[in-house]
Amino acid sequence: EPEVTQTPSHQVTQMGQEVILRCVPISNHLYFYWYRQILGQKVEFLVSFYNNEISEKSEIFDDQFSVERPDGSNFTLKIRSTKLEDSAMYFCASSEDRGHEKLFFGSGTQLSVL
Amino acid sequence: KQEVTQIPAALSVPEGENLVLNCSFTDSAIYNLQWFRQDPGKGLTSLLLIQSSQREQTSGRLNASLDKSSGRSTLYIAASQPGDSATYLCAVTSTSGTYKYIFGTGTRLKVLA
């Protein structure tokens, strides 16, 4: 079965550093998402992306965050200046259709900000 | 603002039992509801998707029902197995044109051999 691939699986960074989390969505999918889960808390929506632009973002997704689809396969999340509270598991997801269909999630990137 | 709650938070049962996990949501104007499984340190796997016009969906030993008017969904797992041990999450999207899923708090299930 096709799957969403995320790299790296773990990322440790110093506060204030920039990080880029990478994802390869399923090839025929059109909608892409980032979610995150702080340890012990709910999975939270960050951003959705369609047709090379952001379709929706949450209040968490401030100016420190950006997303990009630099080529036909990769989808990235950049955090410009990491804070301690950005430590979380970040999940990429994709779906085939208009955002209300079955979501396929990657296995996540565990980000630790020291 | 949509809130999704799941009860119980944790459940431990002997192998072979049938069990029910509950999910409730505050705004009945939903578009879809999905049940996911999350294994420790892993991603989420979609188990069942129920569209708002549907009442239930079945896959193997899993059956999910949806009652929009009362803001509830249940996930029924028949003849539970140790391999079913995981956290089960429900999530909803609204009808207001949003693309995001709002997730519940999860039920941590342990099936004892």
Side-chain angles (χ1 to χ4, degrees):
Chain A
E1 183 170 273
E3 58 181 26
V4 176
T5 305
Q6 287 187 246
T7 55
S9 56
H10 293 83
Q11 175 89 50
V12 180
T13 190
Q14 296 290 326
M15 191 169 56
Q17 294 297 303
E18 174 183 288
V19 295
I20 298 176
L21 309 183
R22 302 180 191 280
C23 170
V24 179
I26 294 172
S27 60
N28 64 330
H29 285 187
L30 300 177
Y31 289 81
F32 314 113
Y33 313 84
W34 285 99
Y35 285 78
R36 79 174 186 187
Q37 186 176 32
I38 295 171
L39 187 63
Q41 298 187 22
K42 293 185 182 185
V43 176
E44 304 173 287
F45 169 82
L46 292 178
V47 66
S48 62
F49 191 86
Y50 168 72
N51 199 26
N52 281 321
E53 59 183 27
I54 291 174
S55 2
E56 186 175 4
K57 59 184 180 179
S58 71
E59 58 274 11
I60 303 168
F61 194 89
D62 61 22
D63 292 344
Q64 293 301 311
F65 291 86
S66 63
V67 289
E68 193 177 38
R69 188 155 162 81
D71 53 44
S73 59
N74 291 285
F75 179 51
T76 61
L77 174 69
K78 182 194 290 187
I79 309 175
R80 287 190 186 82
S81 179
T82 49
K83 306 184 188 73
L84 295 176
E85 55 265 35
D86 293 328
S87 294
M89 179 74 91
Y90 287 80
F91 293 110
C92 174
S94 66
S95 64
E96 189 174 347
D97 209 334
R98 61 177 290 254
H100 290 291
E101 303 305 322
K102 183 174 177 179
L103 277 187
F104 291 80
F105 279 81
S107 55
T109 294
Q110 180 65 57
L111 176 65
S112 298
V113 182
L114 305 178
Chain B
K1 182 185 171 185
Q2 179 74 272
E3 295 282 344
V4 181
T5 305
Q6 292 182 245
I7 294 173
L11 184 61
S12 186
V13 299
E15 182 176 7
E17 272 204 10
N18 302 323
L19 53 99
V20 174
L21 308 182
N22 296 293
C23 171
S24 61
F25 43 94
T26 54
D27 184 350
S28 62
I30 66 166
Y31 192 87
N32 279 349
L33 182 144
Q34 277 194 63
W35 282 93
F36 294 89
R37 169 184 173 136
Q38 184 177 28
D39 292 284
K42 301 280 182 66
L44 285 69
T45 301
S46 179
L47 298 172
L48 290 164
L49 167 69
I50 309 179
Q51 297 179 344
S52 61
S53 58
Q54 299 173 321
R55 299 281 297 184
E56 65 178 332
Q57 283 287 332
T58 299
S59 175
R61 294 183 293 107
L62 305 180
N63 175 274
S65 66
L66 174 64
D67 183 343
K68 269 183 56 175
S69 60
S70 68
R72 293 184 183 191
S73 176
T74 59
L75 179 67
Y76 176 81
I77 302 176
S80 57
Q81 302 170 358
D84 295 329
S85 299
T87 297
Y88 291 81
L89 303 172
C90 74
V92 299
T93 56
S94 80
T95 57
S96 66
T98 179
Y99 294 90
K100 66 183 178 186
Y101 272 88
I102 304 295
F103 280 80
T105 45
T107 293
R108 195 168 57 254
L109 172 66
K110 188 167 186 177
V111 181
L112 306 169

